[in-house]
Amino acid sequence: CGAHIGEYTLLFSTLVGFEGMVFSFEPDPRVFSFLEKNIGLNKLQNVVANNVALGDTEGTAQFMLHPFDPTKSCLRGFGAILNRFADTGSLTEISVPITTIDQYVRSKGLSRVDALKIDVEGAEARVLSGMFWTLSELQPGLIFIECEGAVDVAPLTEPLAGLGYK
């Protein structure tokens, strides 16, 4: 969740091998094109890239695009569903499709989810809220959530602890 250009996608693709699958989600259409290029350049046959945001609802969401120059470094480009940028005057807002992990897992008929990486620029609690069924029924063994800055992690850790996660 929040695949960016695919750093973890490439790593997880190698780790799961030919028998596993990696599902990557990146809502920023500019960054998504780099993700697709990296998947193609590395000839990853076990990756499904999704140009969609994840959260606690289905439909469309407003996505704030952080400015970046892809000719210099796409690593500096990111966006967010939540408006967490101090200077919103230089940001562009676009509509993006949004779904939940639960809906995605069910629609794909997945019976197993081994690991989740979540880096969604402040929308972590919403993503967790949209995957309660997946967490409780499929019980992924690894959940990695990237939180930047002085974030109160209690809204993330408490629901997970309630499901038996440490």
Side-chain angles (χ1 to χ4, degrees), residues 95-165:
S95 291
V96 298
I98 187 169
T99 193
T100 67
I101 291 283
D102 285 348
Q103 175 59 31
Y104 188 86
V105 166
R106 287 178 174 142
S107 73
K108 294 294 183 190
L110 302 180
S111 60
R112 188 173 142 190
V113 174
D114 294 320
L116 292 156
K117 188 262 329 173
I118 302 169
D119 180 5
V120 290
E121 305 300 331
E124 295 82 8
R126 290 181 180 181
V127 171
L128 284 176
S129 178
M131 58 190 264
F132 183 80
W133 179 85
T134 300
L135 292 172
S136 58
E137 296 298 317
L138 302 184
Q139 302 175 337
L142 172 68
I143 301 170
F144 172 75
I145 303 173
E146 182 177 317
C147 300
E148 296 180 28
V151 174
D152 178 12
V153 296
L156 307 176
T157 57
E158 289 172 4
L160 290 171
L163 293 169
Y165 286 94

Side-chain angles (χ1 to χ4, degrees), residues 10-139:
L10 273 66
L11 171 65
F12 291 148
S13 173
T14 301
L15 293 173
V16 302
F18 294 111
E19 294 181 14
M21 290 294 297
V22 175
F23 299 92
S24 294
F25 302 87
E26 176 53 55
D28 186 327
R30 306 163 308 169
V31 177
F32 184 77
S33 68
F34 286 97
L35 173 63
E36 287 186 309
K37 283 181 187 175
N38 279 332
I39 291 168
L41 288 171
N42 288 280
K43 298 177 173 69
L44 304 181
Q45 300 297 312
N46 60 352
V47 174
V48 176
N50 298 276
N51 190 200
V52 62
L54 293 170
D56 58 359
T57 187
E58 293 180 69
T60 58
Q62 292 309 107
F63 188 81
M64 303 298 290
L65 293 174
H66 187 274
F68 79 101
D69 181 352
T71 63
K72 293 183 179 172
S73 172
C74 76
L75 294 175
R76 297 180 61 200
F78 62 91
I81 293 294
L82 301 176
N83 184 0
R84 63 183 279 255
F85 305 111
D87 174 20
T88 59
S90 63
L91 300 180
T92 302
E93 189 174 312
I94 63 169
S95 291
V96 298
I98 187 169
T99 193
T100 67
I101 291 283
D102 285 348
Q103 175 59 31
Y104 188 86
V105 166
R106 287 178 174 142
S107 73
K108 294 294 183 190
L110 302 180
S111 60
R112 188 173 142 190
V113 174
D114 294 320
L116 292 156
K117 188 262 329 173
I118 302 169
D119 180 5
V120 290
E121 305 300 331
E124 295 82 8
R126 290 181 180 181
V127 171
L128 284 176
S129 178
M131 58 190 264
F132 183 80
W133 179 85
T134 300
L135 292 172
S136 58
E137 296 298 317
L138 302 184
Q139 302 175 337

